[in-house]
Amino acid sequence: MKEEILARLEDETQTVFQTVELPPAVGTFRLSKTFRADDNTVEIFNYDSRERHCKIIAYFDGATSEYKIRIQLGLNEWCLSRFFESGFERFIGTFRAALDAVIATFDHADVKKNFFIEELKLSEWSYGKNLPSTINGLELFIRPSRPIETTNGSFIVINYVDFERARDLVVYYNIFSDEFSAETRDGAHTHVIYELDAKTLVDLEKNLTAYFSAGNEK
């Protein structure tokens, strides 16, 4: 990123920070002001919860000239589109007003209400309530009783993770397609798992049982 752009961003962000104070901590999340440039982005600050394996990152996207929020949860990563702003002052105001609600999604037991997710009755799904805590080195990180909304109508309903080796299995439900899908990650490599595609919880349960029995999660 060009030096003149970096200088403008630093001046703009520092000016706003003189009048807008962000809390140093919210729950298990701790604030770090970073201003770290990388290729075409500049990370301005982040809230990091090592306990939750979650980081909320505020950054400037040089490709679109907008300030944005990116979420890192386990090995999952996505942007929160409602925070896209061209000016930092408006961005930080929007972010500050929504900060508690965003963090509560990851830091507390509250489940974000969504009509389509409620209709699935994931909290009543017997198979989901009895998932093993670990499977061949992968730890159960996200449970069906606490789905996490990502982007484009998708929710993470199951996530097994090996944080040390950066491996995981993630099962999604999309409210628009009304179906489940899955993928695995191993470092930088992502693989779609078509064997877990399902339209209902009954089918997903059958597919997961067969998948785990075959040892495919290794």
Side-chain angles (χ1 to χ4, degrees):
M1 189 170 290
K2 295 181 178 180
E3 290 297 326
E4 57 266 30
I5 297 178
L6 287 174
R8 176 180 63 80
L9 292 176
E10 187 169 20
D11 180 66
E12 181 178 12
T13 55
Q14 291 305 313
T15 298
V16 172
F17 277 139
Q18 290 176 7
T19 59
V20 178
E21 184 177 353
L22 292 172
V26 181
T28 61
F29 287 79
R30 301 291 182 269
L31 172 66
S32 294
K33 294 181 180 178
T34 50
F35 202 85
R36 182 167 52 231
D38 181 16
D39 294 331
N40 208 29
T41 66
V42 180
E43 180 181 316
I44 310 299
F45 64 87
N46 69 65
Y47 277 90
D48 189 5
S49 173
R50 294 184 179 180
E51 298 91 332
R52 291 289 295 119
H53 297 282
C54 183
K55 184 180 288 189
I56 301 169
I57 301 168
Y59 70 103
F60 178 81
D61 185 348
T64 63
S65 297
E66 292 175 309
Y67 292 96
K68 300 178 178 180
I69 291 294
R70 184 172 71 252
I71 301 295
Q72 293 177 351
L73 180 62
L75 304 185
N76 306 284
E77 187 169 333
W78 66 93
C79 285
L80 297 179
S81 58
R82 67 183 181 275
F83 293 106
F84 291 5
E85 297 287 354
S86 59
F88 189 67
E89 184 172 11
R90 184 178 177 85
F91 169 83
I92 202 70
T94 302
F95 175 78
R96 181 65 188 90
L99 175 59
D100 290 342
V102 171
I103 285 183
T105 305
F106 310 103
D107 202 34
H108 303 304
D110 301 328
V111 178
K112 182 174 181 179
K113 300 299 181 182
N114 176 281
F115 172 79
F116 300 99
I117 293 297
E118 292 292 302
E119 286 293 296
L120 283 178
K121 302 187 184 303
L122 288 168
S123 61
E124 301 174 17
W125 186 29
S126 178
Y127 182 88
K129 289 190 290 186
N130 292 286
L131 287 169
S133 58
T134 59
I135 297 177
N136 287 7
L138 300 179
E139 173 189 351
L140 183 58
F141 178 54
I142 297 176
R143 301 171 180 271
S145 59
R146 284 204 58 205
I148 300 294
E149 184 175 8
T150 60
T151 57
N152 300 320
S154 287
F155 286 75
I156 301 171
V157 296
I158 298 174
N159 192 198
Y160 279 94
V161 189
D162 178 347
F163 293 105
E164 184 175 345
R165 297 173 62 187
R167 299 169 55 241
D168 81 343
L169 166 68
V170 57
V171 177
Y172 301 97
Y173 173 75
N174 186 275
I175 63 174
F176 300 122
S177 63
D178 187 24
E179 61 186 3
F180 297 92
S181 61
E183 64 185 23
T184 61
R185 281 180 288 251
D186 189 349
H189 303 287
T190 300
H191 305 280
V192 177
I193 307 301
Y194 296 106
E195 305 99 290
L196 297 183
D197 287 356
K199 292 292 291 184
T200 68
L201 283 178
V202 173
D203 289 338
L204 178 62
E205 181 174 332
K206 292 178 181 177
N207 293 345
L208 283 169
T209 300
Y211 184 78
F212 290 149
S213 297
N216 289 312
E217 74 286 352
K218 295 180 182 179

